[in-house]
């Protein structure tokens, strides 16, 4: 089981995230990063961020009220719905 | 002034994202009984202690949240009276034919209120196949599952112009308002509204975006069952929002969490007995943390910001 590093660009924080762990969960667990709460179900949109670089997988549906198809293609995610497939760099949204 | 129009909220349709995980939550964790599946794949559910055909419908789509809420009135004449009052109030009414999108339900009238939520009213609904016993009744026939939710209880809606929404519920539904929270300028921050002895059938919080669901509340037997719900949240790795705690507002015993599609659920017990002749309880906005979460006295950011 791999563990990757997730870095939040302008917050200058880095935390570990296992490959079977949601990025949002790892952020909450680490107590670091800009998002501190949310529905963790892809519904509320609070944890929306931009993936600046790195591989990830969207493993749960993200509400289209918050992530349009174009945004999804552009690397915007709800961090509660994605798992890392390598080290990630995230940027804040908006 | 209570039971003069609507009886209670009787039906909600929720939008869900992850259908299998969310259905598993409602059926096996919250403890609702599956009633039927519609031709277009929606699932109808009910609490074990409810008498009517179903009370919760799940619709799989790409956005979480609430499609509509429907209120039950005592009879067809009351439904027609309410429809006329809605029109007079200024909202455009449409008719949903009997046994169309909701199996077992008679004709419903629907309209959108100022907060952006679709409200409906009906009186005719078929009895459920699985009902509480009526003759020398036991407390249940099959042991309640999971969190042991008895019935759908209430909902909190976020949207604009809740003072109009409050007036609508009073003038059109014949409801009353046991408790309110006011901003320093005298406008409402929040309002708790009921048609019965329950402290709330529904509540509103003022919010710029229309049509938002804050939570759907289900009734539990007592404080011990709120603790049991907490165990099921932990066992199933559901995301806890807050609780177990006590509300000073409504005096309910409560725990909030999110189901797998991100809609917030409250499992709730107790609450004071409301009467329409009782004086209204009034909260100042700077005290609402204590009103909502009596033990900590502190508001949490998610409560004002996370909606679907």
């Amino acid at each position: 089981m791999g563990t990757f590093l997730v870095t939040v660009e302008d917050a200058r924080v880095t935390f570990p995230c296992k490959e079977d762990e949601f990025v949002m969960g790892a952020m909450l667990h680490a107590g670091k990063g800009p998002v501190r709460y949310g529905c963790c179900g892809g519904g509320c949109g609070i944890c929306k961020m931009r993936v600046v670089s790195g591989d990830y997988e969207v493993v749960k549906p993200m509400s289209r009220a918050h992530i349009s198809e174009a945004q999804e293609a552009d690397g915007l995610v709800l961090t509660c719905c994605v798992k890392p497939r390598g080290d990630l760099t995230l940027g804040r949204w908006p | 002034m209570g039971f003069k129009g609507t009886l209670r909220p009787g039906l909600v349709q929720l939008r869900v994202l992850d259908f299998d995980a969310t259905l598993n939550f409602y059926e096996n964790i919250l403890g609702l009984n599956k009633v039927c599946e519609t031709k277009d794949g929606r699932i109808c559910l009910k609490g074990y202690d409810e008498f009517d055909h179903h009370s919760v419908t799940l619709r799989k789509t790409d956005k979480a949240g609430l499609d509509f809420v429907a209120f039950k009135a005592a009879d067809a004449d009351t439904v027609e009276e309410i429809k006329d009052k809605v029109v007079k109030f200024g909202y455009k009414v449409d008719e949903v034919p009997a046994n169309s999108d909701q199996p077992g339900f008679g004709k419903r009238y629907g309209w959108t209120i100022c907060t952006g939520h679709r409200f409906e009213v009906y009186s005719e609904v078929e009895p459920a196949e699985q009902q509480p016993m009526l003759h020398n009744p036991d407390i249940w026939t099959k042991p309640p599952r999971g969190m042991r939710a008895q019935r759908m209880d209430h909902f909190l809606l976020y949207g604009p112009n809740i003072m109009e929404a409050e007036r609508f519920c009073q003038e059109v539904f014949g409801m009353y308002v046991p408790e309110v929270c006011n901003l320093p300028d005298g406008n409402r921050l929040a309002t708790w509204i009921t048609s019965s002895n329950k402290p709330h059938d529904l509540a509103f919080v003022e919010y710029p975006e229309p049509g938002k669901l804050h939570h759907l509340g289900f009734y539990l037997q007592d404080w011990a069952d709120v603790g049991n719900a907490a165990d099921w949240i932990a066992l199933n790795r559901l995301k806890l929002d807050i609780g177990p705690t006590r509300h000073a507002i409504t005096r309910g015993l409560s725990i909030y969490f999110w189901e797998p599609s991100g809609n917030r659920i409250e499992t709730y017990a107790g609450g004071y007995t409301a009467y329409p002749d009782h004086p209204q309880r009034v909260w100042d906005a700077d005290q609402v943390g204590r009103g909502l979460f009596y033990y900590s006295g502190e508001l949490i950011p998610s409560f004002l910001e996370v909606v679907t």
Side-chain angles (χ1 to χ4, degrees), chain B residues 230-279:
Chain B
D231 289 339
W232 281 88
I233 291 166
L235 274 162
N236 290 281
R237 310 292 189 268
L238 295 173
K239 182 77 179 95
L240 176 71
D241 190 13
I242 192 166
T245 186
R246 151 86 86 175
H247 298 308
I249 297 165
T250 76
R251 301 223 189 115
L253 310 164
S254 167
I255 187 163
Y256 289 96
F257 56 97
W258 286 281
E259 43 92 308
S261 290
N263 295 305
R264 190 191 273 98
I265 299 294
E266 179 182 22
T267 44
Y268 172 99
Y272 54 67
T273 306
Y275 284 94
D277 64 311
H278 284 178

Side-chain angles (χ1 to χ4, degrees), chain B residues 128-163:
Chain B
E129 209 168 288
Q130 176 274 312
Q131 281 198 337
M133 283 176 69
L134 294 173
H135 189 212
N136 302 322
D138 281 309
I139 55 168
W140 36 255
T141 43
K142 284 183 183 168
R145 288 184 305 284
M147 295 179 175
R148 306 193 280 259
Q150 296 182 341
R151 56 174 168 78
M152 196 257 288
D153 187 71
H154 67 270
F155 29 78
L156 170 55
L157 308 176
Y158 273 39
N161 201 1
I162 65 167
M163 281 180 112

Side-chain angles (χ1 to χ4, degrees), chain A residues 24 28 36-46 59-66 69, chain B residues 17-18 60 62-64 212 239-240 258-263 301-303 305-308:
Chain A
M24 170 77 167
L28 294 176
R36 297 295 170 85
Y37 54 83
C39 75
C40 291
C44 79
I46 287 277
V59 297
K60 274 200 310 199
M62 305 185 288
S63 174
R64 287 279 177 238
H66 302 290
E69 283 180 47
Chain B
L17 304 171
D18 186 335
K60 178 180 165 55
D62 61 3
K63 299 179 183 76
K212 294 296 180 184
K239 182 77 179 95
L240 176 71
W258 286 281
E259 43 92 308
S261 290
N263 295 305
S302 60
F303 210 77
E305 295 172 18
V306 177
V307 292
T308 54

Side-chain angles (χ1 to χ4, degrees), chain B residues 2 10 23 55 70 86 92 94 107 112 172 202 204 206 268 283 285:
Chain B
L23 176 59
S55 57
V86 177
K92 190 166 174 282
D94 60 75
K107 177 180 73 181
T112 302
V172 176
L202 75 165
F204 292 99
E206 186 70 28
Y268 172 99
W283 289 84

